[in-house]
Amino acid sequence: RTSKGREIHFPTLMLDLAILCLCVIYQGIKLQANVVSEGVLSDTTGKLIEVPWASKDVPLESKMLSFFDNLSKLEDRMEVEQSFSVFSFVVLFSVLFRIIISTAAHPRTAILVSTLRNAGDDLW
């Protein structure tokens, strides 16, 4: 019970804590990635641009190896960004889900939430 005499709904509290943890984790990971990404991106694209294609002194195999190694690094970075996009979708969907659940507090909007709960089997 709270100080105002209301009962605490444990599953809702756990959901709120899980959403809060997801948001904090996402912000921490994204902040760290943004700090590092500028250097990584400029370094990788710089090396891709600086491949000495016109040089006759550098063997073709060396040029190709350098190019594809840096291209692989760039593709790895793109996969990391794709993972961030999926994770951000999960976080935003969980926040939206929590907002929908919290609208059940009002009797008139509770009808909509109960309709979604009852239709959940048909929707998913």
Side-chain angles (χ1 to χ4, degrees):
R1 291 190 174 265
T2 64
S3 61
K4 294 182 180 182
R6 293 186 224 152
E7 287 192 27
I8 297 174
H9 192 244
F10 187 71
T12 305
L13 178 66
M14 294 308 293
L15 180 63
D16 289 344
L17 289 175
I19 291 172
L20 177 66
C21 288
L22 279 175
C23 289
V24 168
I25 289 169
Y26 175 75
Q27 288 299 322
I29 291 172
K30 194 63 178 171
L31 179 66
Q32 188 266 342
N34 286 343
V35 169
V36 172
S37 71
E38 182 181 358
V40 171
L41 187 61
S42 64
D43 183 48
T44 304
T45 54
K47 288 181 181 177
L48 277 171
I49 293 171
E50 294 171 356
V51 174
W53 293 111
S55 174
K56 294 181 180 181
D57 298 333
V58 181
L60 180 61
E61 290 178 10
S62 175
K63 295 175 193 176
M64 297 286 281
L65 184 64
S66 173
F67 178 77
F68 285 115
D69 283 345
N70 289 307
L71 188 62
S72 174
K73 289 178 186 175
L74 186 62
E75 288 174 343
D76 290 343
R77 186 69 193 158
M78 291 169 60
E79 287 178 14
V80 168
E81 288 298 322
Q82 178 64 29
S83 299
F84 283 145
S85 295
V86 170
F87 187 63
S88 67
F89 174 77
V90 169
V91 170
L92 291 174
F93 186 78
S94 63
V95 170
L96 177 66
F97 182 70
R98 179 62 183 112
I99 290 171
I100 290 171
I101 288 174
S102 68
T103 59
H106 191 276
R108 291 186 181 175
T109 58
I111 293 170
L112 296 172
V113 175
S114 64
T115 302
L116 287 174
R117 284 183 185 153
N118 292 333
D121 290 338
D122 297 331
L123 292 175
W124 314 112

